[in-house]
Amino acid sequence: MHFDKVIKNGRLVTGERIFSGDIGIADGKIAVIEDNLPAEDTKIIDAKGLLVLPGIIDVHVHLQLPFCGTVSVDDFFTGTRAAACGGVTTVIDFAIQNKSGTLYEAVENRRSEADGKVCVDYSLHAVPTDWRDDIRHEMKEIVDYGISTFKMFMVYRSEGLISEDDALFEALEESAKLGVMIGVHAESVTILEFLTDRYHTDEMMRKYGAYCHALSRPWYVEAEAVSRAINWAEATGGNLYIVHMSDGRSAEILNSAKDRQVNVFAETCPHYLLLDDEFFKLKDGHLYGTCPQLKKPEDQRRLWQALAGGELSVISTDTCTFNTEQKAMWNGDFTKIPFGMPGVETLLPLIYLHGVEAGKISLQRMVQLLSTNPAKLMGMYPQKGSLMLGSDADITIIDPESRTTLSYKNLQTNSDWSPYEGFEAMGMPVYTLLRGEIIAENGEFKGKAGSGSFIKRSAPDFNI
Ligand code: URP
Ligand code: ZN
Ligand code: ZN
């Protein structure tokens, strides 16, 4: 059999097992996995001493998102170029419904921005913001189109993104009928707005600066909304996915919901695992403004436990890059910080060092959290998230011994700062392959705009 490429001598790590073998790639797919695969007239990638993983999947990015009075600066090209160099082969962004528009229009608009520009494969979550009967019916058409996840914001009233509880309740009912999943950004809007007003005074902002952002978003702002969303999922039998979980109490609530067999899953992000709210006290503390807020070291500990223990199923990044000039729009007012940070490129090496190498999660668990579970929950498995015969040859090869000190200067993001500046990282990707093509090598981008495609997704596989 002829292969387009053979990856030789690597140690293969999947969500199920770790083993040695050579991978033969043909027509963008994994064709054979065998020891000592003959490889005449074929490009050989020597993976001796390296770990061969299924491509990393980041299910939560916001590229060129109009938000907080500006537009996030990693667009579909630079954001996915950064993804490729970070070993990420699939991202999921969001198609946000315009008021009085439809979900289909939102998806087509977003696709017209992304197609031809993306360097890795991608999909979209459909985001209803104007809940109506026709939108409820439209969900089925969107599923047939290949989008099996919807996302609703329980906050962002003034931005016009919020879904009220009745909308969330009905969407969850529909999710049970269609076998699809509703993601939620869970924060309690009433208490959040109340606390924001409390700290939004000249006196408070002079005294606390960017730390007002943390003071106005304590743990219970998230935990209350998590609890409420879980109640609606339990009442309706719906399928719920909590995005960017940031606090330990929410992890407890999630745990007890799982004990009651509620079909709820959740992700957290590297910034909730590695940064805490003391960062707001730094001179440039406003740069770290994101929602939900960075919490406390005890929250970080509980989130790591939940990743290891199985309550949390996915690590995503919520990449939403604003540069220092955009962040400066805050001008001393914490309510004007553009919310979000870069992250897709540093996901894997940060989690490898601070999770696996630090002994908080196993190597195999990391692959589950960064690839297999995202693929299953988002309806892409085993096309993605696996090293099975017939799977897309999306493969990330890392050097488990390589250490690096992160700096935005060496990254592909369009950002002029990094929340992880000066952080140690480990296991930077040596090669990233997308459907068999090398799209990044040792931090250098080798793909092109349009190397990636829109991926049609099926119903989520909840068996993780
Ligand atoms: O602050 C954040 N996370 N910005 C992006 C929008 C969101 O809520 O995910
Ligand atoms: Zn959010
Ligand atoms: Zn987000």
Side-chain angles (χ1 to χ4, degrees):
M1 180 172 188
H2 177 75
F3 303 115
D4 303 320
K5 276 187 197 72
V6 172
I7 302 172
K8 287 198 84 67
N9 309 317
R11 192 119 183 90
L12 281 50
V13 187
T14 70
E16 295 80 34
R17 64 193 183 115
I18 301 181
F19 57 108
S20 297
D22 298 346
I23 300 181
I25 297 170
D27 298 327
K29 305 268 182 202
I30 296 180
V32 175
I33 302 181
E34 243 172 55
D35 286 334
N36 306 316
L37 208 54
E40 292 90 42
D41 305 328
T42 297
K43 175 161 173 59
I44 295 177
I45 297 177
D46 187 4
K48 192 166 185 333
L50 306 179
L51 299 176
V52 179
L53 320 177
I56 304 306
I57 301 173
D58 187 349
V59 304
H60 190 156
V61 301
H62 303 275
L63 305 176
Q64 55 190 79
L65 174 71
F67 192 50
C68 301
T70 182
V71 179
S72 62
V73 287
D74 269 319
D75 62 18
F76 277 104
F77 175 66
T78 66
T80 55
R81 181 184 64 184
C85 291
V88 174
T89 50
T90 304
V91 297
I92 311 186
D93 203 290
F94 298 82
I96 301 178
Q97 178 200 8
N98 286 326
K99 297 287 176 210
S100 78
T102 65
L103 296 175
Y104 181 75
E105 285 161 2
V107 169
E108 287 294 296
N109 284 342
R110 204 66 173 144
R111 283 200 62 181
S112 71
E113 293 172 341
D115 288 344
K117 244 174 132 180
V118 285
C119 311
V120 302
D121 284 352
Y122 84 104
S123 180
L124 299 165
H125 306 280
V127 183
T129 60
D130 185 8
W131 188 251
R132 312 182 299 256
D133 240 16
D134 61 304
I135 297 298
R136 183 165 62 79
H137 292 302
E138 201 197 5
M139 283 174 72
K140 165 92 172 71
E141 283 164 49
I142 296 297
V143 176
D144 293 342
Y145 182 99
I147 292 181
S148 48
T149 49
F150 299 80
K151 152 88 176 286
M152 298 173 103
F153 291 99
M154 297 171 81
V155 286
Y156 301 141
R157 203 195 306 265
S158 57
E159 289 84 354
L161 296 174
I162 193 168
S163 286
E164 301 294 348
D165 279 9
D166 50 355
L168 176 57
F169 190 94
E170 264 198 328
L172 281 163
E173 283 181 331
E174 215 55 34
S175 78
K177 287 184 212 151
L178 298 174
V180 299
M181 195 150 61
I182 309 295
V184 291
H185 172 141
E187 286 188 292
S188 182
V189 72
T190 312
I191 294 303
L192 176 54
E193 289 176 352
F194 169 74
L195 291 177
T196 302
D197 286 347
R198 177 175 283 178
Y199 288 99
H200 197 213
T201 67
D202 288 344
E203 189 195 347
M204 288 294 182
M205 291 196 286
R206 246 192 326 270
K207 189 165 172 194
Y208 295 112
Y211 195 68
C212 286
H213 191 39
L215 292 169
S216 58
R217 292 179 123 95
W219 63 268
Y220 47 84
V221 166
E222 180 173 65
E224 185 281 327
V226 164
S227 168
R228 187 157 29 102
I230 286 175
N231 286 341
W232 302 152
E234 191 164 11
T236 57
N239 308 310
L240 179 66
Y241 182 82
I242 295 161
V243 303
H244 52 40
M245 185 174 280
S246 69
D247 78 289
R249 184 69 69 95
S250 294
E252 294 301 331
I253 295 165
L254 178 68
N255 192 23
S256 76
K258 281 180 172 288
D259 281 349
R260 301 195 304 279
Q261 314 299 321
V262 182
N263 208 31
V264 55
F265 300 87
E267 63 177 29
T268 189
C269 311
H271 43 280
Y272 301 122
L273 298 166
L274 302 175
L275 310 176
D276 62 46
D277 66 5
E278 289 293 303
F279 278 74
F280 294 111
K281 297 180 181 166
L282 298 176
K283 183 172 139 290
D284 285 327
H286 66 285
L287 294 176
Y288 300 85
T290 191
C291 304
Q293 215 24 263
L294 304 177
K295 300 294 193 303
K296 309 276 182 199
E298 56 267 30
D299 293 295
Q300 296 176 346
R301 278 191 285 280
R302 185 63 187 89
L303 292 173
W304 277 115
Q305 269 175 18
L307 288 168
E311 298 111 288
L312 284 169
S313 306
V314 172
I315 309 177
S316 71
T317 64
D318 196 11
T319 292
C320 187
T321 307
F322 296 108
N323 62 26
T324 53
E325 191 183 332
Q326 292 172 305
K327 289 278 187 181
M329 285 164 48
W330 90 300
N331 203 16
D333 180 341
F334 73 100
T335 64
K336 296 198 166 61
I337 304 174
F339 296 134
M341 299 193 282
V344 65
E345 196 170 357
T346 48
L347 167 67
L348 171 61
L350 283 171
I351 296 304
Y352 187 79
L353 176 61
H354 299 279
V356 178
E357 190 66 14
K360 295 193 175 84
I361 53 173
S362 69
L363 178 58
Q364 205 165 323
R365 182 68 183 145
M366 180 188 82
V367 172
Q368 289 168 2
L369 292 164
L370 297 182
S371 185
T372 314
N373 290 352
K376 286 186 174 175
L377 289 174
M378 299 300 153
M380 292 186 281
Y381 188 85
Q383 181 187 357
K384 308 285 188 193
S386 132
L387 295 177
M388 278 186 202
L389 301 190
S391 296
D392 283 355
D394 293 357
I395 298 175
T396 300
I397 303 178
I398 66 169
D399 180 353
E401 301 301 328
S402 73
R403 265 187 186 258
T404 186
T405 304
L406 295 175
S407 170
Y408 77 87
K409 291 182 188 139
N410 306 324
L411 297 172
Q412 300 279 342
T413 166
N414 207 10
S415 185
D416 58 352
W417 75 286
S418 166
Y420 309 106
E421 192 71 18
F423 272 52
E424 290 293 295
M426 204 172 171
M428 289 297 277
V430 181
Y431 295 101
T432 308
L433 279 76
L434 177 69
R435 283 178 276 106
E437 295 300 324
I438 297 175
I439 55 167
E441 187 172 343
N442 286 315
E444 208 180 306
F445 180 57
K446 302 275 186 188
K448 58 179 194 316
S451 329
S453 297
F454 179 78
I455 296 296
K456 287 187 184 294
R457 296 187 283 129
S458 324
D461 174 354
F462 299 118
N463 281 317
I464 59 166

